[in-house]
Amino acid sequence: MRWKQSTQNFERHLFSGTARRRREVLSGKWRPKPGAHFTLRERGKVRPIDAPHINDRQIHKTHTKEVLEPLYTPGMIYYNGASQRGKGLQFHYKGLKKALRKTYRESGRSGYIILVDLKQFFPSAPHAAIYERHRRLIYDPRIRAVADTVVASVPGGVGMPLGVEPSQMEMVSLPSSVDNWIACQLRAKNPAHYMDDYHMGAETKEQAEKFLQATAQRMEDMGLTVNRNKSKIVPLTKPFRFCKAKFHLTETGRIITHGCRDGMKRARRKLRFFQGEVAAGRKTVEEVARWLNDGPIAYYEQFNDHGRVLKLRRVFYAMFIKDRNTEEVKPCIGS
């Protein structure tokens, strides 16, 4: 990103620009500049992204780190790991496996897991709930005005944009009241959520249905939309998927996990594309091997997917190494 003219201009006038933006914020004259809107295909799903102007990112960063995080983090449950330092998707996977082991030690595989999915989590975010939280937690009117301005600048006036740092923090902590209600009042077993995906445990199917209905009603009351088609109750005797990963609690208590199977299709498709790039001289075999190791293979090695790792290595060998004398690239495809 440093090759961009806007980035170079920002760094060239860093001190004077910072002083100017500080005066605008303190005087209440700061308004976000128009950003760039584009679509991004991530893991097969098209997502609309709104990239803020580089001058506004400095204010967004300071507002998020110095205001939103200190205010919102204490009210969030521990297993809410999206967009937070030291946590993430693998942290959540480990927490889910820990919860399954705890359930197995207490009651075996007789329980149920409840999976709740929120529909259009960012695009349909209720601004009224966000403004109310600002009024409740931010006492300084000037800081609250900045927070409200960031929310009000959303293109279209509805929802929260992807790609904006304050938006990520607002949305990851927005359902915190529901999270604490599920854990403390509803008393569900091991509740957790990763952005718009929830899971919690129950001892019986009747209890699980009660938990699911109560949670969906609570979320809809605050303006969130629950995807009833994707929300389900699964017995622990059967495998289930959460955040693209498959979990299976076996009779012995072992937890078998598998990564997203669609990643294999995308990896093979990319390898076929790279085969043409190598033939045209625009890419080297070493670069393809590095991509394969750092991308698909590194992903599947985090799960019980040794078979998929071997398949990818065989495909790579058949495409790029079988008829070539390239001994130097063989260590690149090792474990």
Side-chain angles (χ1 to χ4, degrees), residues 263-284:
M264 292 292 292
K265 300 176 184 178
R266 290 192 292 271
R268 287 195 292 265
R269 192 182 304 120
K270 272 200 169 184
L271 285 174
R272 287 194 293 270
F273 171 75
F274 288 151
Q275 191 176 26
E277 293 289 294
V278 170
R282 291 186 293 268
K283 243 183 192 340
T284 65

Side-chain angles (χ1 to χ4, degrees), residues 146-197:
V146 173
D148 291 346
T149 300
V150 173
V151 177
S153 65
V154 175
V158 180
M160 296 296 287
L162 287 169
V164 181
E165 191 168 0
S167 174
Q168 293 288 119
M169 193 63 207
E170 292 281 7
M171 294 308 297
V172 75
S173 60
L174 180 62
S176 293
S177 59
V178 179
D179 299 344
N180 288 283
W181 177 80
I182 292 172
C184 300
Q185 273 71 45
L186 199 61
R187 304 293 293 177
K189 298 177 66 176
N190 307 310
H193 83 97
Y194 187 85
M195 202 57 82
D196 59 343
D197 293 300

Side-chain angles (χ1 to χ4, degrees), residues 13 28 126 241 296 307:
H13 305 288
R241 294 186 182 277

Side-chain angles (χ1 to χ4, degrees), residues 6 69 84 90 95 157 172 190 221 283 309 329:
S6 59
E69 282 190 10
Q84 294 185 67
Q90 289 302 318
V172 75
N190 307 310
D221 289 344
K283 243 183 192 340
V309 172
V329 302

Side-chain angles (χ1 to χ4, degrees), residues 21-32 56-64 66-68 72 130-131 134-135 138-154 160 164 166-167 170:
R21 285 184 286 274
R22 178 179 179 275
R23 286 195 302 269
E24 291 177 355
V25 171
L26 292 178
S27 62
K29 297 180 180 179
W30 173 76
R31 294 294 182 272
D56 295 333
R57 293 181 190 181
Q58 185 182 35
I59 299 176
H60 288 171
K61 174 72 72 174
T62 304
H63 176 62
T64 302
E66 302 298 332
V67 178
L68 298 184
Y72 293 164
I130 299 175
Y131 291 143
H134 290 172
R135 287 190 291 269
I138 305 176
Y139 297 148
D140 191 312
R142 293 181 299 177
I143 299 178
R144 187 167 61 247
V146 173
D148 291 346
T149 300
V150 173
V151 177
S153 65
V154 175
M160 296 296 287
V164 181
S167 174
E170 292 281 7

Side-chain angles (χ1 to χ4, degrees), residues 85-151:
R85 186 183 298 274
K87 297 184 180 180
L89 191 55
Q90 289 302 318
F91 166 83
H92 199 91
Y93 286 159
K94 292 178 182 178
L96 177 53
K97 290 193 286 186
K98 182 179 179 180
L100 291 174
R101 294 189 191 99
K102 181 180 178 182
T103 301
Y104 182 82
R105 288 195 300 268
E106 293 175 350
S107 57
R109 298 198 300 167
S110 60
Y112 293 81
I113 187 165
I114 306 158
L115 305 175
V116 183
D117 182 79
L118 299 180
K119 186 177 181 181
Q120 295 290 302
F121 186 52
F122 274 79
S124 64
H127 283 195
I130 299 175
Y131 291 143
E132 175 59 30
R133 189 168 52 169
H134 290 172
R135 287 190 291 269
R136 191 175 69 252
L137 297 178
I138 305 176
Y139 297 148
D140 191 312
R142 293 181 299 177
I143 299 178
R144 187 167 61 247
V146 173
D148 291 346
T149 300
V150 173
V151 177

